[in-house]
Amino acid sequence: MIIRPLGSGEEPPMELLLLADPSRDIVEGYLGRGKCYVAEEDGAVIGVYVLIPTRPEMVELVNVAVEESRHGRGIGKQLVLHAVRTAREEGAWTIEVGTGNSSVAQLALYQKCGFRITGVDRDFFIRHYPMEIVENGIPCRDMIRLSQDLHNNAE
């Protein structure tokens, strides 16, 4: 598997991106502000993430998605760790990520990759998404914010 930046003439893998964020408008909004990376295996795109500069020396990791048939193989972890390395190499001091309160596996993954919970944006998904989102039988209401200080976690 290789992870690389999406080429300037390439279309983003919208089907994958919509797995992690059901709002096409929101996805298209941050694609315009960030840099998209894709994971490929045997020439097929199987994973994706986007890094968005948010403030000086700070980036946000958004939309980590893996093709559903390839879940459970560690691809998501490889994508997150690649994002952390990329952010560090590009001079960021902090990387942030947010996920839903109902995204149990994602919360575990980010913490395994060195992120720590920094806050809760209450009712984020109620305010920003017209449809109800339910994962793992839990209504997704709140955005759990996590971050990692990159200058303290050199590999």
Side-chain angles (χ1 to χ4, degrees):
M1 181 180 77
I2 63 161
I3 302 173
R4 63 170 180 81
L6 189 69
S8 60
E10 289 181 274
E11 287 293 316
M14 194 57 74
E15 188 174 309
L16 272 178
L17 292 162
L18 291 172
L19 285 177
D21 189 326
S23 172
R24 181 176 286 273
D25 289 342
I26 291 174
V27 169
E28 289 175 350
Y30 58 65
L31 279 172
R33 298 188 326 267
K35 189 169 186 179
C36 185
Y37 293 82
V38 293
E40 286 182 332
E41 193 169 79
D42 299 324
V45 174
I46 61 165
V48 65
Y49 74 84
V50 179
L51 278 181
I52 302 172
T54 55
R55 291 186 288 274
E57 300 177 333
M58 185 174 289
V59 296
E60 182 172 4
L61 170 60
V62 297
N63 203 309
V64 178
V66 174
E67 185 180 277
E68 289 179 298
S69 67
R70 298 177 192 254
H71 285 187
R73 298 185 186 176
I75 296 167
K77 185 173 185 178
Q78 289 179 61
L79 287 168
V80 172
L81 293 174
H82 186 273
V84 169
R85 279 192 307 275
T86 300
R88 184 181 294 117
E89 289 166 4
E90 292 182 358
W93 279 57
T94 304
I95 184 170
E96 297 180 313
V97 68
T99 195
N101 62 281
S102 55
S103 301
V104 179
Q106 291 86 341
L107 281 167
L109 170 64
Y110 296 134
Q111 291 176 85
K112 287 176 186 177
C113 291
F115 286 83
R116 298 193 55 198
I117 295 172
T118 56
V120 177
D121 186 346
R122 292 177 58 87
D123 294 327
F124 176 89
F125 292 96
I126 293 169
R127 290 191 315 271
H128 295 284
Y129 291 81
M131 74 295 276
E132 181 182 39
I133 302 169
V134 177
E135 297 174 293
N136 304 303
I138 305 167
C140 183
R141 295 184 179 118
D142 306 322
M143 170 80 75
I144 308 301
R145 304 293 304 167
L146 303 97
S147 72
Q148 185 175 146
D149 293 328
L150 301 175
H151 60 283
N152 290 332
N153 297 313
E155 293 181 342

